[in-house]
Amino acid sequence: MKILIVDDSKLARMGVIKSLKEIEPSAELFQAANGLEAVAIFKAENPRVVFLDLTMPVMDGYEALQQIIAIDADAQVIVISADIQNEAKQRVLKAGARNMYPKPINEEKMLQIFQQDLLI
Ligand SMILES: [Mg+2]
């Protein structure tokens, strides 16, 4: 299974990757540091799941989400953001994200995402 991890912080990407290790040990992982890279990789690789940060340079997560959903309305995007305001959550859910969680994601939370939010 292909999984795309998008965050401008390498440390944050590593945290998501670590949380996936036990749950999806055989996943093929792709990383992007901004929305523009994310959309390009999404087009090229059609990953099954996308973990998406919101605040990023070049192209933010809101714009990337919009473009990814425009490419594939069934794309499974989970937003992981430090912005925990309900307004941000409502906005990304409306734009087609499956769910949104505050940073950082641990293994327990990742398991919950796979069990409750994703169709795998
Ligand atoms: Mg960021």
Side-chain angles (χ1 to χ4, degrees):
M1 176 173 46
K2 292 179 179 180
I3 299 177
L4 171 59
I5 297 122
V6 189
D7 200 302
D8 57 320
S9 158
K10 189 179 179 187
L11 203 69
R13 294 199 304 272
M14 291 305 138
V16 174
I17 288 168
K18 195 179 166 208
S19 74
L20 284 164
K21 217 170 183 178
E22 299 280 320
I23 300 162
E24 287 295 330
S26 61
E28 190 181 352
L29 304 177
F30 297 85
Q31 295 183 51
N34 62 62
L36 196 66
E37 285 181 17
V39 172
I41 295 172
F42 187 84
K43 275 184 194 163
E45 301 292 343
N46 190 28
R48 192 80 169 271
V49 181
V50 180
F51 292 101
L52 182 65
D53 182 27
L54 289 179
T55 306
M56 293 182 289
V58 187
M59 182 195 290
D60 69 15
Y62 292 109
E63 177 65 25
L65 173 62
Q66 211 166 37
Q67 293 197 19
I68 286 169
I69 294 296
I71 294 163
D72 178 1
D74 295 322
Q76 302 196 92
V77 180
I78 302 291
V79 173
I80 299 174
S81 176
D83 183 354
I84 51 154
Q85 290 182 48
N86 196 43
E87 191 187 325
K89 185 167 184 175
Q90 293 313 314
R91 189 174 164 193
V92 299
L93 292 178
K94 205 174 169 189
R98 294 287 159 123
N99 215 336
M100 175 169 159
Y101 292 92
K103 287 180 177 180
I105 291 294
N106 58 22
E107 204 175 306
E108 191 186 348
K109 189 61 81 177
M110 185 58 83
L111 189 61
Q112 184 193 326
I113 291 169
F114 271 80
Q115 289 172 341
Q116 296 179 3
D117 300 324
L118 298 174
L119 296 169
I120 300 299

